[in-house]
Each structure stands twice: as C-alpha cells, then as structure tokens.
Amino acid sequence: MESTRTIVVYLYPGMTALDAIGPYEILRGLPGAVVQFVARQRGPVTVDSTFLRLQADLSCDEVTRADILVVPGGNAPAQMRNPDTLAWLRCLYPTTRWTLSVCTGSLILAAAGILTGGEAATHWSARETLRQFGITPSQARVVRRGNILTAAGVSAGIDAALTLAALECGQETAELMQLFIEYAPQPPFTAGTPETAGPGIVARAEAFLRRDAAP
C-alpha cells in the first residue's frame, strides 16, 4: 500500500497566491500526496490582490505534523510579527522532511529561527531584509540548505517545487510533473530580475512596492 505524503500549504492574509498555487500544482502530483491548506483559522483567506480568496480547510491548531511544508511570501512582515504563527512553524518544522519557502516566505522562516546563516533566496526587493537575519541573499532562483529550499520571487516557486519533487521521488517523477504543466518558460522579455531589467524598470518597480507597503 502506497504511503501518504502530507503537504501543508500555509495561507495567510495578504499572501501572494502563485507562491502557494505554483508549488501546489507540482506537489499534488507526488505519489500519495495529501494536500492541506492551513491558516490561523478555517475559512477563506484574502490574498494580496484582494480580488481572490483561497480556502483554508484546517486551522493551525489542527495541524501538528507535515512531510512537506510550503510557506508563501506576500505580506510577510505581519507574519514575522505574529508570535502564534512563528510558534506554530517552530513546532511543525521538526516533523517535516522538506520545508519550502517562496519569495518573502524565507523572511518568515528566518523570523521563526528556522532559517539561519548561510545563503537563501527571496524576492529581490527583500534581499537586504534577509541580510539583517545574518543570511546571505542569493541571486539563484532556488537555494537548498539541508531540508530547506528557498525560492526567489513568485514564479521561482515552481522551480523549487520541481527541485523538491526530484529530491523526494526522483528526477523522472519531477520531469513528469514538469511535462504535465508544460513548464517550458520562454519569457517575452528579459526583465525578470533587477540585474537584467534595467534601471528605469527597477526604479518604477521599487516605487510601486513602496506605495504598496505604505500603511
């Protein structure tokens, strides 16, 4: 009989939807996968756009273990200041085989004391914040440190999930998942990183992020 793999995806207000759904589309296809969408309370969770809601079927109090934990980015500062969230992550992490953060989710892991030292990936706009935790921000899309995988911004969560799928079930399974979702990116522009976007685009993006973060 095939053993199950419990995959816990943490949802919180202001999170970025693709940070969770991108990895979900890969990890749900792993043999024996059981996906649990979990939030502080059961019910709909409004993402950062405010147009979309994702459904949490379980509360954090109901979930005490996970084989794979996914922590998305988005409104990370609020989660970094939430003692209940940080305590739950600290309790859950030792039960996991793999923990995956996407975008600024790595900041939440750092605030919880799960991610310490070394290198890690995060959204390009949060690299200096990550450095404040004594972690060296990497320009790589995916960084593995032991059983923790950190991904850069949003779309890199798919790369990280494929990497995790290969580690957990072998490269052939990961390639099968990649084929299922026809993941063969050919972006029309080269503006995907601040290193390639050009100073004008970066300045506009930074201004937008500052405005978005303003109270």
Side-chain angles (χ1 to χ4, degrees):
M1 184 175 178
E2 189 175 80
S3 61
T4 60
R5 290 180 169 87
T6 302
I7 300 163
V8 170
V9 182
Y10 178 53
L11 307 180
Y12 59 87
M15 57 166 283
T16 300
L18 187 58
D19 287 5
I21 299 304
Y24 157 77
E25 286 293 345
I26 302 297
L27 300 177
R28 73 182 179 91
L30 297 184
V34 176
V35 181
Q36 298 176 339
F37 287 95
V38 181
R40 294 306 312 165
Q41 296 179 330
R42 291 189 180 200
V45 177
T46 303
V47 304
D48 53 4
S49 69
T50 73
F51 301 126
L52 176 68
R53 291 174 177 82
L54 299 178
Q55 179 74 19
D57 294 321
L58 295 169
S59 70
C60 291
D61 292 340
E62 298 174 276
V63 177
T64 58
R65 65 167 301 277
D67 295 310
I68 297 172
L69 169 65
V70 179
V71 180
N75 187 14
Q79 299 303 304
M80 294 162 67
R81 296 189 296 266
N82 188 318
D84 293 332
T85 294
L86 299 182
W88 177 70
L89 290 172
R90 291 187 196 106
C91 289
L92 199 64
Y93 170 69
T95 74
T96 66
R97 283 200 299 274
W98 304 102
T99 291
L100 187 161
S101 70
V102 184
C103 195
T104 53
S106 56
L107 300 181
I108 301 173
L109 294 183
I114 294 169
L115 185 64
T116 58
E119 288 191 339
T122 193
H123 191 272
W124 59 266
S125 66
R127 289 174 184 168
E128 290 310 307
T129 305
L130 191 62
R131 199 183 299 276
Q132 293 173 16
F133 287 94
I135 300 167
T136 301
S138 173
Q139 293 183 16
R141 284 178 67 79
V142 181
V143 176
R144 178 190 173 190
R145 302 227 331 259
N147 70 336
I148 299 175
L149 284 81
T150 55
V154 193
S155 63
I158 297 175
D159 300 55
L162 286 168
T163 301
L164 191 159
L167 290 167
E168 177 74 359
C169 298
Q171 182 173 331
E172 184 173 336
T173 296
E175 289 180 348
L176 185 63
M177 296 301 104
Q178 182 175 0
L179 178 58
F180 279 153
I181 68 167
E182 201 170 349
Y183 183 57
Q186 297 178 357
F189 312 109
T190 60
T193 71
E195 291 75 29
T196 61
I201 295 296
V202 172
R204 290 183 63 183
E206 290 175 334
F208 177 85
L209 290 168
R210 285 195 298 271
R211 184 192 68 189
D212 202 45

